[in-house]
Amino acid sequence: MDEIITAESAFENFASGINCCMTVFGECAPAIGMNKETAYKIATGFGGGMGHAGTCGCVTGALMALGLKYGVSAAGQSDCEKEYKEKREEFCKAFIEKAGSLNCPEILDGLNIAVPADKAEIMERGLTRSRCAELVSFAVETLADIMDI
């Protein structure tokens, strides 16, 4: 694997306006066989908790990356499925330990990024620059360890 992923480049991509899911999946994708541009396109709609303050885009991006590397591609691949689920649980456990939750509102002090007034407060308080950016970097670093890339 020639592509090295880093928390620093993930932070820079997120800071430049690439959403959380796109950044996490996009940083990992080249190291596991997909170009960054295709990964960005796939992940576009999953940032900000799928645009509705659901599961954090860092988590959905991580699950996409894990699926690309360890996912099931045909019926009857129970060994692949078992390995994927183990890796998924390892990531989710680490993420919950760091963020306290897998869900955007719980991570963002109860604020819902899909509600205009809450989004304004999130921006005013700089939560995307602080908390979200930190979690993007953490997710990429954690994935690199879990996937050995």
Side-chain angles (χ1 to χ4, degrees):
M1 308 265 169
D2 295 329
E3 284 284 332
I4 304 293
I5 63 172
T6 67
E8 293 80 20
S9 67
F11 179 86
E12 290 170 11
N13 281 343
F14 183 73
S16 76
I18 305 295
N19 79 39
C20 47
C21 185
M22 292 167 66
T23 297
V24 171
F25 187 40
E27 283 299 303
C28 297
I32 50 179
M34 178 183 285
N35 69 63
K36 190 177 279 195
E37 293 76 21
T38 300
Y40 281 175
K41 287 181 179 185
I42 291 168
T44 297
F46 292 86
M50 294 175 268
H52 296 281
T55 301
C56 173
C58 295
V59 176
T60 55
L63 298 184
M64 289 177 191
L66 290 169
L68 183 58
K69 184 164 183 179
Y70 301 103
V72 174
S73 60
Q77 294 180 329
S78 58
D79 288 345
C80 290
E81 185 175 15
K82 182 178 184 282
E83 184 174 21
Y84 172 81
K85 287 179 179 180
E86 288 169 357
K87 301 287 185 180
R88 177 187 65 196
E89 292 312 308
E90 183 179 352
F91 176 84
C92 288
K93 181 181 178 192
F95 194 86
I96 289 170
E97 286 176 13
K98 176 73 173 174
S101 177
L102 300 175
N103 298 309
C104 286
E106 293 163 4
I107 293 167
L108 297 171
D109 299 338
L111 298 168
N112 182 332
I113 201 157
V115 174
D118 284 3
K119 183 174 183 173
E121 184 174 343
I122 289 166
M123 297 304 172
E124 180 180 307
R125 291 175 51 192
L127 293 177
T128 57
R129 286 188 317 272
S130 60
R131 197 158 306 150
C132 295
E134 178 185 354
L135 290 174
V136 164
S137 296
F138 175 80
V140 167
E141 189 172 75
T142 302
L143 281 172
D145 289 342
I146 290 171
M147 298 191 304
D148 195 30
I149 53 176

